[in-house]
Amino acid sequence: MQITSLVLRSYRNYAELHLAFDAGVQIFLGANAQGKTNIIEALYYAAFGRSHRTSSDAELVRVGADEAHIGLSFLRHDVPSELSFTFARGARRRIERGGENLRQRDLVGILPMVLFSPEDLFLVKGAPALRRRYLDAELSQASPAYYGELLRYTHILRQRNAVLKDIRERLASPDELLPWDVQIAKSAAYITARRIAATEQLSALSAHVQEVIAAGETLSISYEIAHAPEGLTAGKESMTKQLELWYNEMFKEMRARDIARAATGVGPHLDDLVLVTAGMNLRSYGSQGQQRTGALALKLAELFYLRENVGEAPILLLDDVMSELDADRRAALLSFISSEKIQTFITATDAAYFPSERMGTYRYVEAGKIQER
Ligand code: ATP
Ligand code: MG
């Protein structure tokens, strides 16, 4: 995977920008508030169809302009491709691939990418939603079918919760839940089974990760189903079927409670990942340093996972994380990136975080202007 060019027009603090990239490491240096993260954000937008910082596309349009544009060329398995995004305040966003309109649900997975930013340092100690999003990002990029089912699940969940609320307020009868229960159990089972399989694969990859960052003990990752009895995940062959039966029972069992709360009390929207290193739950007992290393390990595991499942290394974005890692980890990470030839976009405020010999293309960012040096 290689991004070959980026064009920005009226995007954030960029009036007009044209950059071309080789396959190597792309380093963006500059003081605070100059537009480094804006570049990372634009690349992320091209892969996921949304910003990692805001859910409002209007914020991305340059102050004083009406319409913003991101254009991107890339190679996937050496085949050239182009994506373009246009958004105007108050108008519908347009995505095109090679000049043809593209839907959001068909975008994810076209340009596999892993972002590691300061927010990800909370991946280990933060709320379970962060870890679910982490898992969903890699599954969705590796499998369009998974992403489609995830969107479907989210939709069914919203509908079911609306019916629960209506029942609570006596606007609907409890029978109206039945068709939703059947659908949500099926969808929940599909998602949970795939998440379990992905977690096993990630855990197996963490030995690789350990070699890269020399983190002492390897990280073991397991999937925790909310309210699940022990042993549910034991029989592997018919995992999806088994889960569907179990979910059906649970939805029945929890019905009164669900109605009272107008919320669905079981399902993959409540599950979590459990991270264990040296026999210790990292979230509860890890030191701050161990939790940071754990977050980096998860991100690298994601990179290996995508490489294994897509057949090519994803693009790696490292926004402002050099300053967050200790010198040894930083050096190990940089030497791994260079030796594996993973196209990586790195931002930092200080060139001192990089080895003295040049390891890629250096660009200086100042007030929405970029100079190669
Ligand atoms: P730091 O080192 O602090 O992370 P950075 O170089 O990553 O800084 P960015 O977040 O990329 O900074 O850019 C921030 C700059 O972009 C700010 O000066 C902000 O005012 C400007 N900016 C953000 N959105 C817009 C917009 N819609 N129009 C014009 N300027 C914008
Ligand atoms: Mg920044």
Side-chain angles (χ1 to χ4, degrees):
M1 210 72 58
Q2 183 195 338
I3 297 177
T4 49
S5 74
L6 172 70
V7 174
L8 298 180
R9 214 166 285 131
S10 301
Y11 183 90
R12 293 281 194 189
N13 66 338
Y14 292 95
E16 173 104 29
L17 178 77
H18 294 257
L19 294 176
F21 307 114
D22 62 21
V25 179
Q26 313 294 323
I27 297 170
F28 294 85
L29 295 167
N32 294 137
Q34 300 306 309
K36 302 182 301 295
T37 300
N38 293 345
I39 298 288
I40 297 291
E41 182 186 44
L43 298 172
Y44 183 95
Y45 196 103
F48 295 94
R50 60 177 177 81
S51 160
H52 66 292
R53 291 196 287 191
T54 174
S55 56
S56 151
D57 282 353
E59 275 177 40
L60 309 178
V61 182
R62 189 166 196 253
V63 172
D66 295 325
E67 191 178 84
H69 172 81
I70 304 173
L72 195 111
S73 310
F74 64 97
L75 298 170
R76 177 167 175 162
H77 297 300
D78 296 324
V79 180
S81 213
E82 274 173 23
L83 286 169
S84 115
F85 303 80
T86 311
F87 23 84
R89 289 179 206 288
R92 236 180 114 82
R93 187 248 333 247
R94 214 167 61 239
I95 311 177
E96 284 171 76
R97 180 188 198 176
E100 303 269 334
N101 279 326
L102 191 73
R103 295 177 306 175
Q104 163 76 26
R105 65 159 52 202
D106 298 321
L107 171 71
V108 176
I110 287 182
L111 179 60
M113 188 178 276
V114 173
L115 164 68
F116 188 40
S117 73
E119 293 82 29
D120 293 312
L121 293 166
F122 295 96
L123 203 47
V124 170
K125 70 168 165 196
L130 295 176
R131 289 178 292 280
R132 290 193 294 269
R133 201 180 311 147
Y134 159 80
L135 201 50
D136 286 339
E138 50 212 56
L139 269 156
S140 298
Q141 292 194 86
S143 157
Y146 180 87
Y147 185 53
E149 193 59 45
L150 189 63
L151 295 175
R152 219 175 88 80
Y153 180 79
T154 311
H155 172 76
I156 301 171
L157 182 65
R158 211 178 298 127
Q159 297 289 318
R160 185 177 190 268
N161 289 345
V163 175
L164 288 167
K165 187 158 179 276
D166 283 352
I167 297 171
R168 186 176 69 182
E169 284 160 20
R170 306 197 185 285
L171 298 167
S173 88
D175 287 350
E176 286 178 49
L177 264 186
L178 293 174
W180 293 110
D181 285 2
V182 174
Q183 286 194 56
I184 199 169
K186 218 179 166 59
S187 189
Y190 175 97
I191 287 169
T192 307
R194 265 144 200 87
R195 282 189 184 169
I196 291 168
T199 305
E200 280 170 4
Q201 206 182 335
L202 282 168
S203 203
L205 286 166
S206 81
H208 270 324
V209 172
Q210 206 267 351
E211 282 165 31
V212 177
I213 52 174
E217 296 278 339
T218 57
L219 180 68
S220 103
I221 313 170
S222 53
Y223 191 77
E224 187 177 70
I225 304 175
H227 302 293
E230 289 281 323
L232 179 75
T233 61
K236 245 179 154 181
E237 311 136 45
S238 55
M239 174 83 83
T240 313
K241 201 73 220 158
Q242 233 189 98
L243 282 165
E244 191 182 337
L245 290 171
W246 179 74
Y247 275 124
N248 267 311
E249 259 170 54
M250 288 302 281
F251 288 131
K252 239 180 269 161
E253 206 171 289
M254 297 178 86
R255 176 167 297 177
R257 193 185 119 153
D258 280 2
I259 293 171
R261 297 183 186 183
T264 301
V266 66
H269 61 290
L270 297 171
D271 296 349
D272 199 357
L273 288 179
V274 179
L275 312 167
V276 172
T277 186
M280 148 193 91
N281 183 324
L282 207 47
R283 189 184 183 200
S284 323
Y285 300 107
S287 71
Q288 203 173 346
Q290 283 173 317
Q291 290 176 339
R292 270 160 195 251
T293 307
L296 175 62
L298 282 176
K299 284 288 158 179
L300 288 176
E302 179 177 7
L303 186 125
F304 286 122
Y305 175 91
L306 286 171
R307 182 161 76 180
E308 206 164 276
N309 292 283
V310 172
E312 191 173 13
I315 304 291
L316 180 61
L317 310 179
L318 300 174
D319 186 23
D320 221 13
V321 288
M322 290 298 117
S323 56
E324 306 287 343
L325 300 171
D326 61 39
D328 291 347
R329 300 265 141 71
R330 196 159 62 222
L333 180 61
L334 291 174
S335 94
F336 162 74
I337 290 162
S338 330
S339 67
E340 299 276 322
K341 303 203 173 13
I342 295 166
Q343 194 190 33
T344 307
F345 295 79
I346 311 180
T347 73
T349 47
D350 197 336
Y353 292 126
F354 301 94
S356 47
E357 68 274 23
R358 287 179 81 86
M359 62 170 302
T361 308
Y362 289 68
R363 293 183 181 83
Y364 289 78
V365 184
E366 203 184 334
K369 298 248 178 343
I370 297 188
Q371 270 184 354
E372 206 172 304
R373 255 184 255 166

